[in-house]
Amino acid sequence: MRVVLEILDGPLVGETLQLEAGQTLTVGRTARSQLMLPHDNFMSGMHFSIELTEEGCVLTDRNSSNGTWINGERVQQRALSSGDQISAGQTRFRIHFETATREATSRESTEMFPIMTDADVTSTTITSTTVISPLMGVRTTSAVELTPQQQAFTNYLKLKPAPLFVLLNGDIETRVGGILKSSTELFQPLADGMAWDGVPAPDVYLAYLPATSTLLPRLVKESWGQHWSLFFTCASPLPELYRHLRQFLVVQSGEGRWFYFRFYDPRLMQTFLPSCSQRELTQFFGPVQSFLLQDLREDNLLLDYSITPQGLGLRTQRL
């Protein structure tokens, strides 16, 4: 027997993890757990575990602060059945039992959802270059050497309470696609299928960067002062965020001309946001909580833009 754990909420919604007989999976907010969900502040560092044996599948709460719930009932330890829904912190999971067993193989993880464009509705996929497994929390990678300013920038991004995302401009840095494909992070080309009248679509990617991301330091180092990475935070799932950002890629001028709006360029963002009205800010931010970028004039000054009831909020951090 094999057990599949499906994630129902958060940036990893739709992702699945597989357990074979004899395996145990720990789930929580920090690196103490094999499956880390750092965006869920209501989840304990190690919240619960699932053990699969020849006799069955058992969930155990690991003395979590807010408890673990199965089908709406708080439990300390309970045998799981196929279809059971688990709630921990602000994240829900669903258990599926599969009787057929086969050797786990690496595969691409995709999720289909509709995308509205200015012409019609198309479909696209979210891509991960690695399957999530019970060993997700164990990664070996060479350390990236950062300058003190780059390290301060990275630390600031990691300490943001909401999940961290990035928009990467492949028109400036042609290696972006390869960098993402060689990483373990979820990503998606933002402008799939949007070319018209022979005008090529922008080469821009949306990626999710968990707190444990080994890609984050590399992006900070290699894009430093080059303006091809725009970091931001958002608590919405990746598909919802994708749909929101995609609608701004093609806009219409006052003269009725359609053009690509390269809002993902941090140089443009620094001049665009202060020019927006409250209504425009509300529409543009949508589910986004903050945009984070280097100042155009001072690379060692971090700009943290957010939206407030009074208008655009700006917090600066000297690096």
Side-chain angles (χ1 to χ4, degrees):
M1 181 178 67
R2 180 174 58 192
V3 167
V4 177
L5 180 69
E6 179 186 6
I7 303 174
L8 302 180
D9 298 296
L12 297 181
V13 62
E15 291 296 320
T16 59
L17 301 94
Q18 301 175 3
L19 279 81
E20 304 285 351
Q23 290 185 322
T24 299
L25 171 68
T26 55
V27 180
R29 182 174 47 82
T30 70
R32 294 173 55 203
S33 301
Q34 292 163 312
L35 172 59
M36 294 171 285
L37 301 171
H39 60 276
D40 192 336
N41 293 326
F42 290 85
M43 188 175 286
S44 296
M46 183 184 292
H47 200 103
F48 68 89
S49 63
I50 297 176
E51 182 181 9
L52 180 60
T53 68
E54 295 295 344
E55 289 71 35
C57 185
V58 176
L59 177 144
T60 302
D61 181 83
R62 294 298 187 92
N63 298 316
S64 64
S65 299
N66 296 313
T68 304
W69 308 71
I70 298 179
N71 302 327
E73 180 181 351
R74 186 167 182 169
V75 300
Q76 181 60 40
Q77 187 175 73
R78 177 173 295 183
L80 292 167
S81 301
S82 189
D84 280 347
Q85 188 172 117
I86 303 166
S87 297
Q90 293 182 317
T91 305
R92 296 170 302 142
F93 309 82
R94 183 178 290 118
I95 285 288
H96 305 275
F97 284 8
E98 295 182 359
T99 54
T101 61
R102 66 177 184 268
E103 181 179 353
T105 58
S106 179
R107 62 175 176 80
E108 285 192 341
S109 171
T110 61
E111 179 178 353
M112 303 298 297
F113 53 91
I115 301 296
M116 290 295 296
T117 68
D118 55 296
D120 57 6
V121 179
T122 63
S123 65
T124 188
T125 61
I126 288 180
T127 304
S128 173
T129 57
T130 180
V131 65
I132 300 179
S133 74
L135 297 180
M136 180 181 179
V138 183
R139 295 177 181 170
T140 58
T141 183
S142 56
V144 176
E145 293 186 7
L146 303 176
T147 67
Q149 290 77 21
Q150 292 168 350
Q151 186 63 64
F153 189 93
T154 303
N155 292 342
Y156 188 95
L157 296 179
K158 285 184 175 181
L159 291 175
K160 296 292 289 184
L164 181 67
F165 296 85
V166 65
L167 287 166
L168 300 172
N169 189 341
D171 290 325
I172 293 179
E173 176 48 74
T174 58
R175 297 178 300 129
V176 162
I179 291 173
L180 288 171
K181 290 175 184 177
S182 65
S183 76
T184 58
E185 311 306 357
L186 294 172
F187 69 92
Q188 171 59 42
L190 193 62
D192 274 355
M194 295 191 74
W196 80 93
D197 292 337
V199 181
D203 189 24
V204 56
Y205 297 81
L206 169 66
Y208 168 56
L209 301 173
T212 55
S213 173
T214 56
L215 178 60
L216 174 58
R218 180 181 179 184
L219 292 179
V220 170
K221 181 178 180 64
E222 298 196 20
S223 68
W224 190 258
Q226 303 302 310
H227 312 296
W228 51 266
S229 292
L230 176 62
F231 298 96
F232 62 99
T233 61
C234 180
S236 295
L238 194 57
E240 179 183 333
L241 178 59
Y242 181 97
R243 289 191 292 268
H244 172 73
L245 294 175
R246 184 176 167 91
Q247 67 181 313
F248 298 110
L249 277 177
V250 178
V251 297
Q252 191 174 26
S253 69
E255 296 76 27
R257 181 176 63 90
W258 292 93
F259 64 95
Y260 288 124
F261 178 39
R262 302 180 190 275
F263 63 88
Y264 46 86
D265 188 323
R267 295 168 295 186
L268 176 61
M269 185 66 70
Q270 190 173 344
T271 57
F272 166 68
L273 289 179
S275 70
C276 291
S277 66
Q278 182 73 10
R279 182 183 63 83
E280 291 168 335
L281 288 171
T282 300
Q283 180 183 12
F284 182 74
F285 270 80
V288 174
Q289 296 186 8
S290 60
F291 289 100
L292 307 133
L293 54 142
Q294 288 176 273
D295 183 74
L296 279 174
R297 294 164 294 277
E298 299 182 61
D299 282 350
N300 64 342
L301 185 65
L302 183 150
L303 307 180
D304 185 341
Y305 287 106
S306 61
I307 186 171
T308 73
Q310 292 74 40
L312 183 66
L314 173 60
R315 179 181 178 184
T316 61
Q317 176 70 36
R318 185 71 59 181
L319 303 174

